[in-house]
Amino acid sequence: MSAVQAPEPFTERSPWETAREQLRRVADVVGLDDNMVNVLLECKKAVEVSVPTRMEDGSVQVFDAFRVVHNVARGPSKGGIRYHPAVTLEETKALAMWMTWKCALMELPFGGAKGGVVCDPKALSVRELEGMTRRYTTEIINQIGPEVDIPAPDVGTSPQVMAWIFDTYSMNKGYSVLGVVTGKPLQVGGSRGREEATGRGAAFCTREALRKSGRDVDGARVAIQGFGNVGYNLADILSRWGATIVAVSDSTGGIHAPGGLDVQAAAAHKRENGALAGFGEGDDLTNEELLALDCDVLAPCALEHAITRDNASEVKASIICEGANGPTTLEADEILEDRGVLILPDVLANGGGVVVSYFEWVQGLQEYFWKEDEVNERLNDIITRAFAETWRTHEERSISMRQAAYAIGVGRVAEATTTRGLYP
Ligand code: NAD
């Protein structure tokens, strides 16, 4: 789990407004009628709970927490749990909606969900974190389950947190329920390759996008905002493939190394010190400066709304790989689109995480675990196919990659909804 920090207040619309407006815009492309749009614009269920937690000093702190299910037309809902001070119900709803489109784009038999606890996990001891996680799990125990809603890690949560969720749920049931949560450590039913999966999927998308313009990952210059699960693994994989990682950052600031960063050394420094700040190599730079760096690929892998109308015109990369969910505002999207920047949208670029979460769920249900090569190969197949479908739609219909990806995802969910019919 990595250091997190509350972002600046949103200057444009909120992520929930962004997500809803994206759906309205894509509804025209897909040709959805108003009844369908009205159904998809809402979340199926949103649960708000309070999570009293015993602190080290004996006091009790009460945390606000949520679990939101957006849609289950294609199967049980799936989505991460975020621990961050800026978590809100509305943000959780946006993230749940994006999960619905992502699962459909990847052709997984899942709907979309998300959860969050308003807390600063950095400020909690391990015991406090465990107590909070176990109480949160208990508060939402009737909402989750292997056939109902399956959580996973997101910002501020780790395989250890998933292990506590798995254990709490299992202790309440009286037997081990591997399929209740994904992103678990290997010792308790995790999947090989899950930890790196989101970064690996983003790396596959970057490779495909570079190929489309006759370029190769080898020699590409990449800047990455966010150095947690997604950002670090993306940097690691791309650098192994020969890319030059010219900058990385976390909530404490960034490092600029035009000749290429030693990703492993930066990761070791962050592990030891809890932050990138103070890493000796390269020059310091701010998160704003990172977004404006001269490079081929810019990968925002931190939080929503990093690229806004105020900084979109400063971006120099020709490809943006959205490792984070919702890192680009609608206004920034339009500016970048006009400037011919190719955006690999979140639902495509970070879909690798939920794909391997799906593999973990399947392996857990079957109690039969795959080799790492098998996991990575199947991930490559799914991401490459989703990229190709999105690219084809983008070209054939002359729409952006975002519109194309959302059109495919939303179209599949609408089809499932129509086929199932309205109950009762
Ligand atoms: P993480 O907690 O492991 O890492 C988050 C990183 O972002 C940390 O390095 C943190 O310091 C940095 N950060 C926080 N605030 C920042 C700021 N204002 N400026 C720059 N950096 C900042 O989280 P993660 O799992 O890597 O998730 C990152 C993004 O990827 C989120 O949008 C998440 O929803 C998305 N995502 C994650 C997964 C997954 O499998 N973990 C899957 C799909 C999408």
Side-chain angles (χ1 to χ4, degrees):
M1 186 172 50
S2 328
V4 285
Q5 179 177 297
E8 293 296 308
F10 298 118
T11 49
E12 296 172 55
R13 39 189 122 210
S14 72
W16 177 230
E17 287 163 351
T18 299
R20 284 164 64 96
E21 182 55 24
Q22 284 167 337
L23 172 60
R24 286 190 201 97
R25 290 183 187 186
V26 92
D28 291 337
V29 177
V30 187
L32 297 187
D33 70 30
D34 288 350
N35 290 327
M36 182 63 75
V37 176
N38 288 339
V39 170
L40 298 180
L41 273 173
E42 303 301 333
C43 289
K44 174 182 166 62
K45 182 170 65 179
V47 175
E48 180 169 1
V49 296
S50 65
V51 183
T53 303
R54 176 84 55 202
M55 307 304 279
E56 295 284 2
D57 65 2
S59 67
V60 174
Q61 197 169 327
V62 183
F63 298 95
D64 268 349
F66 313 100
R67 185 70 191 172
V68 173
V69 174
H70 171 252
N71 186 285
V72 294
R74 291 172 48 87
S77 51
K78 185 96 192 72
I81 291 177
R82 180 172 291 195
Y83 287 179
H84 193 279
V87 163
T88 62
L89 177 59
E90 285 221 328
E91 181 198 46
T92 311
K93 286 163 83 171
L95 291 162
M97 183 186 273
W98 287 325
M99 280 304 295
T100 302
W101 316 142
K102 190 185 306 179
C103 291
L105 176 65
M106 298 293 146
E107 288 201 288
L108 307 179
F110 290 137
K114 207 78 182 189
V117 180
V118 188
C119 68
D120 179 0
K122 269 191 307 174
L124 299 176
S125 72
V126 173
R127 223 165 25 176
E128 290 165 345
L129 200 61
E130 176 175 355
M132 188 190 76
T133 300
R134 288 188 184 277
R135 181 62 186 252
Y136 171 56
T137 308
T138 308
E139 294 295 342
I140 60 166
I141 205 152
N142 293 325
Q143 320 300 327
I144 60 175
E147 283 137 6
V148 188
D149 178 23
I150 306 127
D154 190 75
V155 173
T157 52
S158 61
Q160 177 60 70
V161 171
M162 299 305 115
W164 290 325
I165 295 174
F166 158 67
D167 186 67
T168 305
Y169 187 88
S170 297
M171 291 308 284
N172 276 271
K173 292 288 165 192
Y175 54 93
S176 290
V177 185
L178 289 180
V180 68
V181 66
T182 59
K184 301 184 292 299
L186 283 181
Q187 310 86 291
V188 290
S191 174
R192 291 185 175 79
R194 173 60 184 90
E195 183 104 39
E196 309 83 19
T198 310
R200 191 178 299 280
F204 290 148
C205 282
T206 304
R207 177 195 66 198
E208 296 302 304
L210 285 164
R211 274 184 189 159
K212 290 290 179 194
S213 56
R215 291 178 286 173
D216 197 67
V217 172
D218 195 358
R221 293 160 63 251
V222 183
I224 300 177
Q225 183 195 52
F227 202 57
N229 175 283
V230 181
Y232 160 69
N233 283 298
L234 177 61
D236 183 47
I237 293 164
L238 289 179
S239 68
R240 287 173 199 271
W241 292 352
T244 304
I245 308 302
V246 294
V248 295
S249 68
D250 66 8
S251 59
T252 63
I255 307 151
H256 183 205
L261 189 82
D262 181 340
V263 175
Q264 288 307 326
H269 175 86
K270 187 166 164 86
R271 254 194 317 274
E272 277 155 33
N273 302 283
L276 277 174
F279 181 59
E281 213 182 289
D283 305 319
D284 290 350
L285 93 169
T286 64
N287 269 293
E288 275 302 304
E289 288 165 343
L290 182 143
L291 298 173
L293 271 187
D294 188 13
C295 58
D296 301 305
V297 180
L298 171 66
C301 299
L303 297 171
E304 299 91 68
H305 289 188
I307 308 178
T308 65
R309 64 177 163 220
D310 297 330
N311 59 22
S313 50
E314 306 297 321
V315 170
K316 299 191 184 54
S318 55
I319 297 173
I320 293 179
C321 175
E322 292 188 339
N325 286 306
T328 312
T329 66
L330 285 164
E331 292 78 358
D333 221 9
E334 283 165 7
I335 295 168
L336 293 162
E337 184 70 17
D338 284 349
R339 295 184 43 223
V341 177
L342 179 69
I343 302 180
L344 308 177
D346 45 11
V347 294
L348 174 66
N350 68 35
V354 73
V355 170
V356 179
S357 271
Y358 166 60
F359 296 163
E360 181 177 331
W361 180 74
V362 168
Q363 292 170 80
L365 293 181
Q366 299 182 340
E367 311 241 3
Y368 177 73
F369 291 87
W370 311 344
K371 295 194 212 92
E372 185 163 351
D373 284 356
E374 250 174 295
V375 170
N376 292 343
E377 221 170 278
R378 289 179 197 211
L379 172 63
N380 190 16
D381 287 349
I382 291 182
I383 295 287
T384 310
R385 185 190 62 211
F387 182 95
E389 282 175 343
T390 306
W391 187 268
R392 202 167 43 244
T393 307
H394 152 70
E395 288 211 308
E396 282 175 5
R397 306 193 60 178
S398 299
I399 52 179
S400 69
M401 285 290 277
R402 187 184 313 283
Q403 288 264 297
Y406 282 42
I408 296 169
V410 170
R412 285 180 183 153
V413 176
E415 233 175 87
T417 305
T418 305
T419 307
R420 287 177 71 144
L422 182 65
Y423 179 85

